[in-house]
Amino acid sequence: MSFKDKVVLVTGGSRGIGRSIAVGFAKAGASTVVISYAGNEAAAQETVGLLQAAGAKAEALKFDVSDAIACANAIEGVVKTHGRLDVLVNNAGMAVDGLVMRVKDDDWDKQLDTNLKGAFALIRAASRPMMKQRSGAIVNVTSVVGEMGNVGQAAYSASKAGLIGLTKSVARELSSRNIRVNAVSPGFIGTDMTSHLSDELRQKMLEGIPLGRLGNPEEVAQAVLFLSGDASSYITGEVLRVNGGMYM
Amino acid sequence: MSTSAIETKVKGIIADQLGVGEDEIKVESSFIEDLGADSLDIVELVMAMEEEFEVEIPDEEAENIKTVGDAINYITNHKK
């Protein structure tokens, strides 16, 4: 799988799954990998170092994906600086857990704005340069929780389910310009986001995973790379599950 | 800006966007029927004209812009 001469933007790329995706592109030969991050400067710089070590030009942009103007500016900046945009990976996401009766409006909005509206704003901005290029790939990182629901994650699951609808609609709209739009749906992956779970809950979740273990971020990255490159040239509007069989 | 200057610019945008020769673009040309545009092309054309002429073309107005002449007229009438 080669991404030679490709310019890639991965949101939420400083840590966790996003970092693995970004590094995966760099190792697969992408000429330029741009990551966005919300605030963790040290992690972002560390990722930039990893990307450069893998031979890619790397850049870290600090912006909040829930800010549509910042998203438009970021895409414009990438196209201006690097000349094109071949792959957009909407990976930035956040979760604030709580039973539905106790969910605060603010927490609901924050999750929908970051996980769903952010992806929309970036797709809207990226679709124009990609249409001009007559090529492009967009991959949205959704979640098993968007497909099967989860206690305490009403907002998170709504946002992730929304991403699947967004993926399919945009796949249809942009298909005539050779732009493919797909989603990757990770299951229970070992990252900061899942590290706070109690041993008891972790054990219970493992019982629901046929492969009997957590996934790792690299395994998600491989799926994202597949859907971003020529190996998947006839696949659009698809949701690729990377969940160890947790949901089939 | 004179109407003929607008016409020249509009034709330039259309040629660039649709990849057709400027000599093929007549005032009476229909974007879809004569110039081979699809709905995405129309959206891109509208956005390109909005940028070039600093006008806003609302969706309900854009629907009525079917020919090159319609576009030139709209811009002539709305450009500040």
Side-chain angles (χ1 to χ4, degrees), chain A residues 128-140:
Chain A
R128 209 169 170 202
M130 285 182 173
M131 280 169 65
K132 281 220 165 88
Q133 285 165 200
R134 293 289 191 272
S135 73
I138 298 171
V139 178
N140 298 317

Side-chain angles (χ1 to χ4, degrees), chain B residues 14-70:
Chain B
I14 295 167
D16 180 46
Q17 198 72 54
L18 301 181
V20 293
E22 286 197 36
D23 51 333
E24 289 173 56
I25 305 168
K26 312 269 188 300
V27 171
E28 63 275 15
S29 301
S30 152
F31 291 115
I32 291 173
E33 275 143 43
D34 300 319
L35 301 174
D38 65 15
S39 58
L40 285 177
D41 287 321
I42 304 280
V43 173
E44 285 193 277
L45 272 174
V46 166
M47 289 169 73
M49 288 191 283
E50 285 179 330
E51 265 172 28
E52 175 68 37
F53 298 105
E54 293 175 344
V55 293
E56 190 138 334
I57 309 178
D59 284 349
E60 57 272 24
E61 299 281 357
E63 280 169 24
N64 298 323
I65 299 177
K66 294 188 161 51
T67 66
V68 176
D70 293 340

